[in-house]
Amino acid sequence: MIAGYNTISMGTGRKEFSPKKPRPDLEDYFKEAGQGVLKQIGGAQNVDEAVIGNFIGARFNRQANMAGFVPYIDEGLRYKPATRVEGACGTGALALVSGIKSVLAETADVVLVLGIEVQNTVKAIYGADILAAAGWAKERKDGHAYFFPGKFSDRSKAYAAQFDKEKTRSAMAKWFENAIDNARTCPTAQEYHNTTKDLIACGMNAPNPKGFVDSLNIFDCSKVSDGASAIAVVSEEGLKRCSIAKENAIEIIGFGQAEEDITKPPADPTVLSTTKEAVRKALASAGITKDQIGTVECHDCFTIAGIMATEAIGFAEHGKGTDFVLAGNTTRNGKVPFNTTGGLIGWGHPTGATGVHQAVTIWEQLTNQAGDSQITIHPDRPYGLSINMGGDDKTLVSIVYKKAE
Amino acid sequence: MNYTEKLQNVTVLGAAGKMGSGILLLTALEMADLSLKPENKGKLFILNAMDTSSEALKGLMKYLKTQVLKAAEKKVIALRQVYHDRADLIDNSEIIDQYVEDVLFIVRPTTNIEAAYESNVIFEAIKEDPALKVKIFNQINQNNKKSPWFCTNTSSIPISLLDTDANLDGRVLGVHFYNPPAVQKLVEIIQTKATDPELVEFVNMLSKNLRKVLVPSNDFAGFIGNGHFMRDALHGINEVEKLAANHSFAESLYMINRITQDFLIRPMGIFQLIDYVGIDVCQYIMSVMNPYLPDENLHSHLLDQMLALNVRGGQNSDGSQKDGFLKYEKGRVVAIYDINKKSYVPIADIQAACDEKLGVLPASCQPWKAVVGNKNKEEVFKTYFNELKTHESFGAEIARNYARRSKEIGIKLVLDNVAYNENDVNTVLLTGFFHAYGPINDYL
């Protein structure tokens, strides 16, 4: 992978964001992120095909057929193959996998992968209806007004009840603090401008079931975001074609994909079992162990999902993810820095773009291009891991990366 | 008293006005929520929105739709439960739309007073004119066979006068909402010796459901709210007239307005408040109250002069502020009216000199906005007023006198038995006028 590019994750929290003022639209994000990659790889002529990841522009933007925007990015992309993929919030990584498979099948040497979502077109209360499509539609009627926060509130409630309520809340607050601390190092992050002093105090706020959900406060949740991320998936041949030095590339060492039945509730709400399976497959495919991982981009759509991800990867036993987080292991100077540009809570969650943003962040970190967000990658832990999740632990992709040699 | 039954047929008189539209909105939401309860299925709820202007009613319905939509969006979590049995309503958007439809279905806009002849409860928010109110109450009372209850929003007319003159036999209660009723928490309740206790019980229950703060006031012209406001305003006007001996009128008005906002840490200066309420309304309220106040003269020549020059203040139908003592552009004060020049003087021309004359604010002073939500504001005010006490500046001296006068007015309301206690006076200023501290305090 080479030439990653992130637009700003736009939404509440950014100084330039105002719901009443005009702001960039789909077209602008397509162009910015797409051109951002093309400029680094020597132009559109080097691209063999493109994959677009978009969750649900058909409702947020009255726009489907998103592949049609590929030639809009650059005329040089006209008549090249383009595909749009969708897997709810796991869309971005599905787009990556789609590109990876093309390269592996040797049908392409350079694939432009772009994830995009523009969600601030409706108020959050109506956005919740749209995002609920990531779950089983037949569950919507009995679901919470804020459908997905409702789902993860149930998980958080079950986790707190089974283990330690106070500790769970404290670990969730700690997760939030890490997310914002990291976002403050990244100029494109939605929380880049966050100046709140006592983040833990925010995170410790008691949930208000009357105004929101039972077991999450608003700081536990990723916000509504607009944005796009793009990266090029290339073969060795493609790398040469684009005239990019190996040291500026990362290698895909392995990946794991797993799907769970959307109509079934989780067997154990305190476990992200599909995530666990996808990570297991990814590590097996890469032939590495969790102890060789130097940084993780996990799908923390909610703080509790971040904590459960540490368990799904195997860094902590079931019920001990809270201790793992509270001990500071996931901070930027910890044992395994997680979500070093803020993750979904800190950087933002433009749903269809998130999986691609994760890959771009790992590309930046492993190639030493992360600017103020840069962490130290130790030689004994040279691998990056990403986990992108669609729905309530339903559509999973996990990828293992390493700096190209 | 059957609360639900009473609310099955209600009329709001003056429904398209500033106060009436807010009362209508609150009542409509409460009636709709009742109608959606399983036990009330099939019962008909009617809310007549009566106003003399068809044009204004058109605006009212637009306002109502916007406001009900906002309310629905806010309470969608609860509404999902209310409509749980409706299999066809799945998304929040469908539920919200249905609720808006259900609320608006209850409301019947009308220009015919006859609509009130079937109502159990009449909310009145028409012009502050005793004769007009008596005439309409009388007409409805004679034609309505249900012995309806009358809830008047008067802010100044004694309730006993309305009761006696319209022959209502105690079926009238002062239910004084504050502007805007949908936002302001305060409702002043004014009962007379003859008021039907069931009517009081009904209004108590309604206000509680609307999550209002109730403050009882005695039936004395102006009650607590205007009892304080009118005297407070008059004090401000007198201060301007004193200052005008050595300064231009516009400068004097600018200074008192600024002192009452910044030095007294209030949400707005006293002249901005007069403009907000309306110069004409203030003059009228004083004229209604004055005959009942043998020991004082609650009257302002300045208000008379302003009205003679057709400078009236008040608000446009879209809620924007009309020019009065102050001139407004996009909600900001840009100029001050000079009665001697009969024109507005731009603030920029006088501000620097006036601010210098007033002197700097005490160091611990914070703007109202920064203090009003502070849980420790009591401490903030203690520190501030302690500093103000000895602060040597022109502005501080006037501010001290102003605060003392405000307290004196408050205490007099208790001594005159208008308010039952000092706490009630403070509650009215805190919840009806959005002050950050009550006038009766020991800060100075």
Side-chain angles (χ1 to χ4, degrees):
Chain A
M1 278 185 192
I2 51 171
Y5 187 94
N6 294 319
T7 69
I8 283 169
S9 176
M10 185 63 76
T12 55
R14 290 293 305 191
K15 277 183 185 161
E16 60 271 57
F17 177 79
S18 162
K20 287 178 188 156
K21 285 186 187 158
R23 53 185 169 273
D25 212 337
L26 273 179
E27 292 79 0
D28 304 296
Y29 287 112
F30 263 114
K31 207 137 209 170
E32 185 189 342
Q35 290 281 1
V37 172
L38 295 183
K39 268 183 200 148
Q40 298 176 63
I41 64 169
Q45 75 275 10
N46 285 337
V47 175
D48 293 322
E49 69 168 88
V51 184
I52 301 303
N54 174 261
F55 170 23
I56 197 158
R59 289 191 67 191
F60 276 120
N61 321 100
R62 297 186 175 86
Q63 181 67 62
N65 201 9
M66 292 281 183
F69 284 98
V70 169
Y72 173 81
I73 294 169
D74 191 300
E75 261 193 57
L77 296 173
R78 205 169 162 216
Y79 299 143
K80 296 205 177 188
T83 311
R84 176 261 177 125
V85 298
E86 187 269 309
C89 306
T91 293
L94 286 186
L96 291 172
V97 163
S98 190
I100 291 167
K101 285 176 178 171
S102 278
V103 170
L104 289 176
E106 300 185 357
T107 58
D109 286 308
V110 178
V111 183
L112 170 65
V113 177
L114 188 151
I116 187 164
E117 209 76 52
V118 173
Q119 307 177 116
N120 280 296
T121 51
V122 296
K123 287 185 183 176
I125 192 65
Y126 303 112
D129 285 335
I130 296 176
L131 295 172
W136 185 27
K138 294 213 163 49
E139 272 190 335
R140 178 64 184 124
K141 175 66 186 170
D142 290 332
H144 195 276
Y146 294 94
F147 186 78
F148 265 91
K151 287 283 173 200
F152 279 83
S153 170
D154 291 348
R155 283 186 179 272
S156 164
K157 200 175 188 174
Y159 190 99
Q162 189 169 332
F163 302 108
D164 183 329
K165 194 176 173 189
E166 291 303 311
K167 196 193 280 180
T168 305
R169 175 45 56 203
S170 298
M172 286 158 79
K174 177 71 179 167
W175 190 277
F176 170 69
E177 183 188 51
N178 290 348
I180 305 303
D181 275 348
N182 286 339
R184 284 169 177 167
T185 66
C186 179
T188 55
Q190 196 163 338
E191 295 292 344
Y192 180 61
H193 299 133
N194 187 319
T195 54
T196 304
K197 281 189 186 120
D198 195 348
L199 295 167
I200 293 291
C202 293
M204 291 302 290
N205 269 311
N208 168 21
K210 232 175 158 185
F212 192 44
V213 294
D214 279 355
S215 299
L216 301 176
N217 62 41
I218 52 165
F219 304 103
D220 291 317
C221 309
S222 50
K223 289 180 167 179
V224 177
S225 318
D226 301 344
S229 291
I231 199 162
V233 180
V234 300
S235 64
E236 293 220 20
E237 186 56 39
L239 193 63
K240 280 184 209 152
R241 188 198 296 168
C242 298
S243 308
I244 287 196
K246 259 196 182 172
E247 69 220 45
N248 289 327
I250 54 170
E251 194 179 338
I252 307 301
I253 306 297
F255 66 93
Q257 233 183 310
E259 196 70 42
E260 173 62 296
D261 185 343
I262 198 169
T263 69
K264 300 256 180 356
D268 180 349
T270 66
V271 177
L272 295 177
S273 57
T274 320
T275 301
K276 201 171 169 180
E277 180 58 15
V279 172
R280 188 196 64 73
K281 283 184 183 178
L283 294 180
S285 144
I288 65 159
T289 69
K290 66 173 195 319
D291 300 321
Q292 291 170 278
I293 297 168
T295 183
V296 176
E297 288 296 309
C298 80
H299 197 95
D300 64 335
C301 44
F302 303 96
T303 51
I304 190 70
I307 292 163
M308 288 187 186
T310 66
E311 298 176 13
I313 300 167
F315 286 129
E317 286 172 37
H318 185 208
K320 302 281 187 199
T322 45
D323 292 316
F324 187 75
V325 170
L326 284 168
N329 288 306
T330 58
T331 63
R332 56 190 306 103
N333 299 311
K335 193 171 156 191
V336 199
F338 269 61
N339 298 2
T340 57
T341 56
L344 283 64
I345 290 171
W347 189 81
H349 187 23
T351 46
T354 290
V356 183
H357 169 257
Q358 293 176 327
V360 174
T361 297
I362 289 185
W363 168 72
E364 288 170 342
Q365 290 293 1
L366 299 184
T367 57
N368 203 27
Q369 300 184 76
D372 290 344
S373 304
Q374 188 65 51
I375 53 160
T376 307
I377 303 291
H378 298 285
D380 56 333
R381 306 180 77 107
Y383 297 96
L385 179 82
S386 66
I387 299 168
N388 191 198
M389 172 168 74
D392 182 9
D393 195 37
K394 298 303 180 198
T395 300
L396 263 296
V397 174
S398 178
I399 305 176
V400 179
Y401 319 73
K402 186 170 174 281
K403 188 175 178 180
E405 283 171 0
Chain B
M1 191 268 303
N2 184 324
Y3 180 72
T4 305
E5 213 172 278
K6 287 289 178 191
L7 277 175
Q8 276 188 255
N9 195 317
V10 176
T11 295
V12 176
L13 304 172
K18 199 159 63 173
M19 300 302 289
S21 57
I23 295 169
L24 185 85
L25 168 68
L26 293 169
T27 315
L29 292 171
E30 173 66 1
M31 287 170 68
D33 289 348
L34 278 178
S35 76
L36 289 167
K37 285 189 173 171
E39 64 266 30
N40 294 328
K41 214 176 169 185
K43 287 182 190 166
L44 189 62
F45 286 77
I46 293 172
L47 175 57
N48 300 304
M50 196 264 153
D51 203 278
T52 50
S53 161
S54 285
E55 193 59 32
L57 283 172
K58 191 176 141 194
L60 169 72
M61 294 313 283
K62 209 172 146 191
Y63 162 83
L64 206 58
K65 192 171 178 185
T66 315
Q67 295 302 315
V68 174
L69 178 66
K70 275 189 193 166
E73 288 173 346
K74 222 169 158 183
K75 59 180 184 180
V76 68
I77 294 174
L79 290 179
R80 288 190 77 88
Q81 291 307 313
V82 170
Y83 291 107
H84 192 255
D85 292 342
R86 286 280 301 271
D88 58 323
L89 303 176
I90 295 165
D91 274 344
N92 293 335
S93 59
E94 293 166 319
I95 285 161
I96 287 165
D97 288 348
Q98 183 63 53
Y99 183 70
V100 172
E101 196 178 297
D102 286 345
V103 176
L104 294 184
F105 177 75
I106 288 173
V107 180
R108 315 281 164 93
T110 177
T111 51
N112 296 324
I113 187 89
E114 288 79 6
Y117 295 172
E118 296 293 321
S119 288
N120 306 312
V121 184
I122 319 287
F123 282 95
E124 170 273 310
I126 61 171
K127 193 168 179 269
E128 196 71 336
D129 179 339
L132 182 66
K133 286 182 201 263
V134 166
K135 178 176 165 273
I136 289 175
F137 285 179
N138 202 15
Q139 184 185 336
I140 295 172
N141 196 41
Q142 280 184 7
N143 291 286
N144 184 321
K145 295 195 177 82
K146 295 176 165 180
S147 303
W149 284 339
F150 293 85
C151 299
T152 169
N153 189 55
T154 180
S155 64
S156 52
I157 304 166
I159 309 303
S160 50
L161 179 143
L162 298 174
D163 191 9
T164 314
D165 290 4
N167 298 312
L168 301 178
D169 302 325
R171 281 178 287 108
V172 58
L173 184 70
V175 184
H176 180 210
F177 287 86
Y178 275 67
N179 186 21
V183 178
Q184 296 279 37
K185 285 271 170 236
L186 178 67
V187 177
E188 264 183 297
I189 299 292
I190 307 102
Q191 63 182 102
T192 70
K193 281 174 189 146
T195 306
D196 180 350
E198 284 203 346
L199 168 54
V200 180
E201 192 191 329
F202 166 80
V203 169
N204 280 342
M205 195 179 276
L206 175 67
S207 309
K208 202 178 129 214
N209 290 348
L210 300 178
R211 277 179 290 206
K212 296 292 178 191
V213 175
L214 289 187
V215 173
S217 167
N218 251 323
D219 188 22
F220 195 90
F223 319 124
I224 300 172
N226 280 332
H228 186 278
F229 173 36
M230 292 303 144
R231 291 175 175 97
D232 197 58
L234 213 50
H235 179 70
I237 291 168
N238 291 339
E239 290 290 286
V240 169
E241 284 165 350
K242 266 198 258 170
L243 280 186
N246 298 311
H247 303 84
S248 77
F249 184 85
E251 286 170 334
S252 310
L253 200 131
Y254 168 83
M255 287 194 272
I256 296 303
N257 195 59
R258 167 137 196 262
I259 288 168
T260 45
Q261 179 163 12
D262 294 348
F263 284 74
L264 291 180
I265 316 183
R266 289 181 176 183
M268 57 176 81
I270 190 69
F271 288 97
Q272 190 176 349
L273 181 61
I274 295 172
D275 284 351
Y276 179 76
V277 172
I279 297 173
D280 50 350
V281 176
C282 289
Q283 184 210 42
Y284 198 85
I285 293 172
M286 285 188 191
S287 75
V288 171
M289 288 171 66
N290 209 23
Y292 298 95
L293 307 167
D295 300 336
E296 48 184 327
N297 185 17
L298 205 62
H299 174 255
S300 161
H301 287 296
L302 179 60
L303 297 188
D304 296 346
Q305 281 175 282
M306 292 291 281
L307 293 171
L309 291 163
N310 204 26
V311 183
R312 316 181 79 82
Q315 281 148 49
N316 294 307
S317 58
D318 66 356
S320 60
Q321 180 65 47
K322 288 183 193 168
D323 295 339
F325 281 110
L326 312 173
K327 187 177 172 67
Y328 304 85
E329 269 173 25
K330 290 180 184 166
R332 292 176 66 92
V333 179
V334 293
I336 311 280
Y337 195 76
D338 194 309
I339 195 112
N340 300 323
K341 294 178 183 164
K342 298 189 174 50
S343 64
Y344 286 96
V345 177
I347 280 201
D349 294 356
I350 55 172
Q351 189 168 21
C354 289
D355 286 352
E356 199 185 330
K357 172 83 187 171
L358 292 177
V360 289
L361 287 161
S364 62
C365 186
Q366 294 182 37
W368 170 83
K369 214 173 174 179
V371 194
V372 69
N374 186 337
K375 281 178 196 153
N376 302 317
K377 63 183 180 181
E378 176 88 23
E379 283 308 309
V380 175
F381 286 121
K382 263 186 198 162
T383 311
Y384 171 69
F385 280 104
N386 221 9
E387 205 186 341
L388 185 75
K389 216 183 278 184
T390 54
H391 196 79
E392 285 184 22
S393 72
F394 190 62
E397 195 187 332
I398 297 174
R400 284 193 292 268
N401 287 335
Y402 214 108
R404 287 187 186 116
R405 172 62 187 149
S406 172
K407 179 176 178 176
E408 193 181 281
I409 295 167
I411 290 173
K412 192 176 185 320
L413 287 168
V414 182
L415 291 176
D416 289 349
N417 286 323
V418 179
Y420 291 100
N421 55 57
E422 293 181 354
N423 193 38
D424 283 351
V425 176
N426 284 344
T427 305
V428 167
L429 271 296
L430 288 165
T431 55
F433 291 82
F434 265 137
H435 282 197
Y437 57 93
I440 307 178
N441 58 63
D442 297 322
Y443 295 143
L444 274 178

